Short mmCIF file of all heavy atoms in Angstrom, two decimals:
data_model
loop_
_atom_site.label_atom_id
_atom_site.label_comp_id
_atom_site.label_asym_id
_atom_site.label_seq_id
_atom_site.Cartn_x
_atom_site.Cartn_y
_atom_site.Cartn_z
N ASP K 28 -3.81 -153.89 -59.92
CA ASP K 28 -4.84 -154.47 -60.78
C ASP K 28 -6.11 -154.85 -60.03
O ASP K 28 -6.92 -155.64 -60.53
CB ASP K 28 -4.30 -155.69 -61.54
CG ASP K 28 -3.18 -155.32 -62.49
OD1 ASP K 28 -3.20 -154.20 -63.03
OD2 ASP K 28 -2.27 -156.16 -62.69
N SER K 29 -6.30 -154.28 -58.85
CA SER K 29 -7.54 -154.49 -58.11
C SER K 29 -8.30 -153.17 -58.09
O SER K 29 -8.01 -152.26 -58.86
CB SER K 29 -7.24 -154.99 -56.69
OG SER K 29 -8.43 -155.33 -56.01
N ASP K 30 -9.30 -153.04 -57.21
CA ASP K 30 -10.08 -151.83 -57.14
C ASP K 30 -10.75 -151.75 -55.77
O ASP K 30 -10.38 -152.47 -54.82
CB ASP K 30 -11.10 -151.74 -58.26
CG ASP K 30 -12.11 -152.90 -58.26
OD1 ASP K 30 -12.29 -153.54 -57.20
OD2 ASP K 30 -12.73 -153.15 -59.30
N GLU K 31 -11.74 -150.88 -55.63
CA GLU K 31 -12.38 -150.64 -54.34
C GLU K 31 -13.16 -151.85 -53.83
O GLU K 31 -13.53 -151.89 -52.65
CB GLU K 31 -13.29 -149.41 -54.42
CG GLU K 31 -14.61 -149.60 -55.17
CD GLU K 31 -14.48 -149.52 -56.69
OE1 GLU K 31 -13.35 -149.42 -57.20
OE2 GLU K 31 -15.54 -149.54 -57.35
N ASN K 32 -13.43 -152.82 -54.68
CA ASN K 32 -14.15 -154.02 -54.27
C ASN K 32 -13.23 -155.17 -53.90
O ASN K 32 -13.71 -156.25 -53.54
CB ASN K 32 -15.07 -154.49 -55.39
CG ASN K 32 -16.16 -153.50 -55.72
OD1 ASN K 32 -16.81 -152.99 -54.82
ND2 ASN K 32 -16.34 -153.20 -57.00
N GLY K 33 -11.92 -154.96 -54.00
CA GLY K 33 -10.98 -156.05 -53.94
C GLY K 33 -10.93 -156.85 -52.66
O GLY K 33 -10.49 -158.00 -52.66
N GLU K 34 -11.38 -156.27 -51.54
CA GLU K 34 -11.34 -156.99 -50.26
C GLU K 34 -12.72 -157.27 -49.69
O GLU K 34 -12.85 -157.64 -48.52
CB GLU K 34 -10.50 -156.22 -49.24
CG GLU K 34 -9.03 -156.16 -49.60
CD GLU K 34 -8.41 -157.53 -49.82
OE1 GLU K 34 -8.64 -158.42 -48.97
OE2 GLU K 34 -7.72 -157.71 -50.84
N LEU K 35 -13.76 -157.10 -50.49
CA LEU K 35 -15.12 -157.35 -50.00
C LEU K 35 -15.44 -158.85 -50.10
O LEU K 35 -16.23 -159.29 -50.91
CB LEU K 35 -16.13 -156.52 -50.79
CG LEU K 35 -15.97 -155.00 -50.66
CD1 LEU K 35 -17.08 -154.31 -51.44
CD2 LEU K 35 -15.98 -154.56 -49.21
N TYR K 36 -14.78 -159.59 -49.23
CA TYR K 36 -14.93 -161.02 -49.16
C TYR K 36 -15.34 -161.43 -47.74
O TYR K 36 -15.15 -160.67 -46.79
CB TYR K 36 -13.64 -161.74 -49.55
CG TYR K 36 -13.38 -161.74 -51.04
CD1 TYR K 36 -12.66 -160.71 -51.64
CD2 TYR K 36 -13.86 -162.75 -51.85
CE1 TYR K 36 -12.42 -160.70 -52.99
CE2 TYR K 36 -13.64 -162.75 -53.22
CZ TYR K 36 -12.90 -161.73 -53.79
OH TYR K 36 -12.68 -161.71 -55.14
N GLN K 37 -15.84 -162.64 -47.62
CA GLN K 37 -16.35 -163.09 -46.33
C GLN K 37 -15.35 -163.00 -45.18
O GLN K 37 -15.70 -162.59 -44.08
CB GLN K 37 -16.88 -164.53 -46.44
CG GLN K 37 -17.73 -164.97 -45.25
CD GLN K 37 -18.97 -164.12 -45.10
OE1 GLN K 37 -19.74 -163.96 -46.03
NE2 GLN K 37 -19.17 -163.55 -43.91
N PRO K 38 -14.07 -163.37 -45.37
CA PRO K 38 -13.13 -163.28 -44.25
C PRO K 38 -13.02 -161.88 -43.66
O PRO K 38 -12.85 -161.73 -42.45
CB PRO K 38 -11.80 -163.75 -44.87
CG PRO K 38 -12.20 -164.67 -45.96
CD PRO K 38 -13.45 -164.05 -46.54
N MET K 39 -13.12 -160.85 -44.50
CA MET K 39 -13.04 -159.49 -43.97
C MET K 39 -14.26 -159.18 -43.10
O MET K 39 -14.14 -158.61 -42.01
CB MET K 39 -12.92 -158.48 -45.12
CG MET K 39 -12.71 -157.02 -44.69
SD MET K 39 -14.22 -156.14 -44.24
CE MET K 39 -15.05 -156.09 -45.82
N PHE K 40 -15.46 -159.56 -43.56
CA PHE K 40 -16.66 -159.30 -42.77
C PHE K 40 -16.66 -160.13 -41.48
O PHE K 40 -17.10 -159.64 -40.44
CB PHE K 40 -17.91 -159.60 -43.61
CG PHE K 40 -18.17 -158.58 -44.67
CD1 PHE K 40 -17.82 -158.83 -45.99
CD2 PHE K 40 -18.76 -157.36 -44.37
CE1 PHE K 40 -18.05 -157.89 -46.98
CE2 PHE K 40 -19.00 -156.42 -45.35
CZ PHE K 40 -18.65 -156.68 -46.67
N ASP K 41 -16.18 -161.36 -41.53
CA ASP K 41 -16.08 -162.17 -40.32
C ASP K 41 -15.14 -161.54 -39.32
O ASP K 41 -15.41 -161.50 -38.11
CB ASP K 41 -15.59 -163.58 -40.67
CG ASP K 41 -16.62 -164.40 -41.46
OD1 ASP K 41 -17.81 -164.01 -41.49
OD2 ASP K 41 -16.20 -165.42 -42.05
N ALA K 42 -13.99 -161.06 -39.80
CA ALA K 42 -13.01 -160.43 -38.93
C ALA K 42 -13.55 -159.15 -38.31
O ALA K 42 -13.31 -158.85 -37.14
CB ALA K 42 -11.73 -160.16 -39.71
N LEU K 43 -14.28 -158.39 -39.10
CA LEU K 43 -14.88 -157.15 -38.60
C LEU K 43 -15.88 -157.44 -37.50
O LEU K 43 -15.90 -156.77 -36.44
CB LEU K 43 -15.57 -156.41 -39.76
CG LEU K 43 -16.09 -154.99 -39.49
CD1 LEU K 43 -14.94 -154.04 -39.24
CD2 LEU K 43 -16.93 -154.50 -40.67
N ASP K 44 -16.70 -158.45 -37.69
CA ASP K 44 -17.68 -158.84 -36.68
C ASP K 44 -17.01 -159.35 -35.42
O ASP K 44 -17.49 -159.10 -34.30
CB ASP K 44 -18.60 -159.91 -37.25
CG ASP K 44 -19.66 -160.38 -36.28
OD1 ASP K 44 -20.51 -159.55 -35.88
OD2 ASP K 44 -19.63 -161.56 -35.90
N ALA K 45 -15.88 -160.04 -35.56
CA ALA K 45 -15.23 -160.67 -34.41
C ALA K 45 -14.67 -159.66 -33.41
O ALA K 45 -14.51 -159.99 -32.23
CB ALA K 45 -14.11 -161.59 -34.90
N VAL K 46 -14.35 -158.43 -33.85
CA VAL K 46 -13.80 -157.45 -32.92
C VAL K 46 -14.89 -156.64 -32.21
O VAL K 46 -14.60 -155.73 -31.43
CB VAL K 46 -12.78 -156.52 -33.59
CG1 VAL K 46 -11.55 -157.30 -34.03
CG2 VAL K 46 -13.38 -155.76 -34.76
N GLY K 47 -16.15 -156.95 -32.48
CA GLY K 47 -17.26 -156.38 -31.73
C GLY K 47 -17.35 -154.87 -31.83
O GLY K 47 -17.22 -154.28 -32.92
N ASN K 48 -17.57 -154.22 -30.70
CA ASN K 48 -17.77 -152.76 -30.68
C ASN K 48 -16.50 -151.97 -30.96
O ASN K 48 -16.56 -150.74 -31.06
CB ASN K 48 -18.37 -152.33 -29.34
CG ASN K 48 -19.88 -152.52 -29.31
OD1 ASN K 48 -20.54 -152.48 -30.33
ND2 ASN K 48 -20.41 -152.75 -28.13
N ARG K 49 -15.37 -152.65 -31.08
CA ARG K 49 -14.14 -151.96 -31.46
C ARG K 49 -13.98 -151.91 -32.98
O ARG K 49 -12.98 -151.37 -33.48
CB ARG K 49 -12.92 -152.67 -30.86
CG ARG K 49 -12.89 -152.67 -29.34
CD ARG K 49 -11.54 -153.10 -28.83
NE ARG K 49 -11.12 -154.38 -29.40
CZ ARG K 49 -9.90 -154.91 -29.26
NH1 ARG K 49 -8.97 -154.24 -28.61
NH2 ARG K 49 -9.62 -156.09 -29.77
N ALA K 50 -14.93 -152.46 -33.72
CA ALA K 50 -14.83 -152.53 -35.17
C ALA K 50 -14.74 -151.15 -35.80
O ALA K 50 -15.54 -150.26 -35.47
CB ALA K 50 -16.03 -153.29 -35.75
N PRO K 51 -13.78 -150.93 -36.68
CA PRO K 51 -13.69 -149.64 -37.37
C PRO K 51 -14.60 -149.57 -38.58
O PRO K 51 -15.00 -150.58 -39.15
CB PRO K 51 -12.23 -149.59 -37.81
CG PRO K 51 -11.89 -151.03 -38.08
CD PRO K 51 -12.69 -151.84 -37.05
N MET K 52 -14.92 -148.37 -38.99
CA MET K 52 -15.43 -148.14 -40.33
C MET K 52 -14.25 -148.33 -41.27
O MET K 52 -13.11 -148.00 -40.91
CB MET K 52 -15.98 -146.71 -40.44
CG MET K 52 -16.71 -146.41 -41.74
SD MET K 52 -17.33 -144.68 -41.75
CE MET K 52 -18.46 -144.70 -40.36
N ILE K 53 -14.48 -148.89 -42.46
CA ILE K 53 -13.38 -149.14 -43.39
C ILE K 53 -13.67 -148.44 -44.71
O ILE K 53 -14.74 -148.64 -45.30
CB ILE K 53 -13.15 -150.63 -43.64
CG1 ILE K 53 -13.08 -151.40 -42.32
CG2 ILE K 53 -11.85 -150.83 -44.42
CD1 ILE K 53 -12.91 -152.91 -42.51
N ALA K 54 -12.73 -147.67 -45.16
CA ALA K 54 -12.81 -147.03 -46.49
C ALA K 54 -11.86 -147.76 -47.43
O ALA K 54 -10.66 -147.88 -47.15
CB ALA K 54 -12.43 -145.56 -46.40
N PHE K 55 -12.42 -148.26 -48.53
CA PHE K 55 -11.64 -148.93 -49.57
C PHE K 55 -11.66 -148.05 -50.83
O PHE K 55 -12.57 -148.15 -51.64
CB PHE K 55 -12.24 -150.30 -49.91
CG PHE K 55 -12.21 -151.32 -48.81
CD1 PHE K 55 -13.35 -151.60 -48.06
CD2 PHE K 55 -11.03 -152.01 -48.51
CE1 PHE K 55 -13.34 -152.55 -47.06
CE2 PHE K 55 -11.00 -152.96 -47.51
CZ PHE K 55 -12.15 -153.25 -46.79
N PRO K 56 -10.67 -147.16 -51.00
CA PRO K 56 -10.68 -146.32 -52.19
C PRO K 56 -10.16 -147.07 -53.42
O PRO K 56 -9.38 -148.01 -53.30
CB PRO K 56 -9.73 -145.17 -51.81
CG PRO K 56 -8.83 -145.74 -50.77
CD PRO K 56 -9.60 -146.83 -50.06
N ASP K 57 -10.59 -146.62 -54.58
CA ASP K 57 -10.04 -147.12 -55.83
C ASP K 57 -8.81 -146.28 -56.17
O ASP K 57 -8.89 -145.06 -56.28
CB ASP K 57 -11.08 -147.02 -56.95
CG ASP K 57 -10.57 -147.57 -58.28
OD1 ASP K 57 -9.52 -148.23 -58.28
OD2 ASP K 57 -11.24 -147.35 -59.29
N GLY K 58 -7.67 -146.95 -56.33
CA GLY K 58 -6.44 -146.22 -56.63
C GLY K 58 -5.88 -146.48 -58.01
O GLY K 58 -4.69 -146.30 -58.23
N GLY K 59 -6.74 -146.89 -58.94
CA GLY K 59 -6.22 -147.19 -60.26
C GLY K 59 -5.46 -148.51 -60.27
O GLY K 59 -5.11 -149.05 -59.23
N GLY K 60 -5.20 -149.01 -61.45
CA GLY K 60 -4.56 -150.33 -61.54
C GLY K 60 -3.14 -150.38 -61.03
O GLY K 60 -2.72 -151.39 -60.45
N SER K 61 -2.36 -149.31 -61.23
CA SER K 61 -0.95 -149.35 -60.82
C SER K 61 -0.44 -147.98 -60.38
O SER K 61 0.67 -147.57 -60.72
CB SER K 61 -0.08 -149.89 -61.97
OG SER K 61 -0.20 -149.08 -63.12
N SER K 62 -1.23 -147.28 -59.60
CA SER K 62 -0.82 -145.96 -59.11
C SER K 62 0.31 -146.04 -58.10
O SER K 62 1.09 -145.11 -57.94
CB SER K 62 -2.01 -145.24 -58.47
OG SER K 62 -2.35 -145.85 -57.24
N PHE K 63 0.37 -147.13 -57.38
CA PHE K 63 1.27 -147.31 -56.24
C PHE K 63 1.10 -146.20 -55.20
O PHE K 63 1.99 -145.91 -54.42
CB PHE K 63 2.73 -147.49 -56.68
CG PHE K 63 3.03 -148.95 -56.94
CD1 PHE K 63 2.54 -149.58 -58.08
CD2 PHE K 63 3.74 -149.71 -56.03
CE1 PHE K 63 2.77 -150.92 -58.31
CE2 PHE K 63 3.98 -151.07 -56.25
CZ PHE K 63 3.49 -151.68 -57.39
N TRP K 64 -0.09 -145.59 -55.21
CA TRP K 64 -0.56 -144.73 -54.14
C TRP K 64 0.41 -143.61 -53.76
O TRP K 64 0.47 -143.21 -52.60
CB TRP K 64 -0.87 -145.58 -52.90
CG TRP K 64 -1.95 -146.58 -53.12
CD1 TRP K 64 -1.80 -147.93 -53.27
CD2 TRP K 64 -3.37 -146.34 -53.19
NE1 TRP K 64 -3.03 -148.55 -53.45
CE2 TRP K 64 -4.01 -147.60 -53.41
CE3 TRP K 64 -4.15 -145.20 -53.11
CZ2 TRP K 64 -5.38 -147.73 -53.54
CZ3 TRP K 64 -5.53 -145.32 -53.25
CH2 TRP K 64 -6.13 -146.58 -53.44
N HIS K 65 1.15 -143.09 -54.71
CA HIS K 65 2.02 -141.95 -54.42
C HIS K 65 1.80 -140.86 -55.44
O HIS K 65 1.27 -141.08 -56.53
CB HIS K 65 3.49 -142.36 -54.34
CG HIS K 65 4.08 -142.81 -55.64
ND1 HIS K 65 3.91 -144.09 -56.16
CD2 HIS K 65 4.88 -142.17 -56.55
CE1 HIS K 65 4.56 -144.21 -57.31
NE2 HIS K 65 5.15 -143.04 -57.58
N ASP K 66 2.19 -139.65 -55.09
CA ASP K 66 2.04 -138.51 -56.00
C ASP K 66 3.03 -138.66 -57.15
O ASP K 66 4.24 -138.72 -56.93
CB ASP K 66 2.30 -137.20 -55.25
CG ASP K 66 1.21 -136.88 -54.23
OD1 ASP K 66 0.26 -137.70 -54.08
OD2 ASP K 66 1.31 -135.83 -53.57
N ARG K 67 2.49 -138.69 -58.38
CA ARG K 67 3.32 -138.96 -59.55
C ARG K 67 2.70 -138.33 -60.78
O ARG K 67 1.70 -137.59 -60.65
CB ARG K 67 3.49 -140.46 -59.71
CG ARG K 67 2.13 -141.17 -59.82
CD ARG K 67 2.27 -142.70 -59.84
NE ARG K 67 3.12 -143.14 -60.94
CZ ARG K 67 3.30 -144.43 -61.24
NH1 ARG K 67 2.72 -145.37 -60.53
NH2 ARG K 67 4.07 -144.77 -62.25
N ALA K 68 3.20 -138.64 -61.94
CA ALA K 68 2.72 -137.99 -63.17
C ALA K 68 1.25 -138.30 -63.45
O ALA K 68 0.54 -137.47 -63.99
CB ALA K 68 3.60 -138.43 -64.35
N THR K 69 0.79 -139.50 -63.10
CA THR K 69 -0.60 -139.87 -63.38
C THR K 69 -1.59 -139.27 -62.40
O THR K 69 -2.81 -139.38 -62.61
CB THR K 69 -0.76 -141.39 -63.36
OG1 THR K 69 -0.39 -141.89 -62.07
CG2 THR K 69 0.10 -142.04 -64.42
#
């Protein structure tokens, strides 16, 4: 029941900044409300 914006909160940005030049790019895909991220009928 979340989406691609679900983790765009201050703690994530603070944590990203804290690891400095080791910081990864982060992809937050939208996976539908209840896909459970596996290959299925939907």
Side-chain angles (χ1 to χ4, degrees):
D28 296 328
S29 187
D30 60 21
E31 74 279 6
N32 296 312
E34 293 305 313
L35 297 183
Y36 284 90
Q37 194 62 53
M39 186 278 294
F40 288 100
D41 291 343
L43 188 67
D44 180 64
V46 295
N48 278 332
R49 297 193 306 170
M52 188 180 298
I53 311 178
F55 295 102
D57 182 11
S61 59
S62 71
F63 271 74
W64 298 106
H65 66 280
D66 291 2
R67 56 186 302 185
T69 60

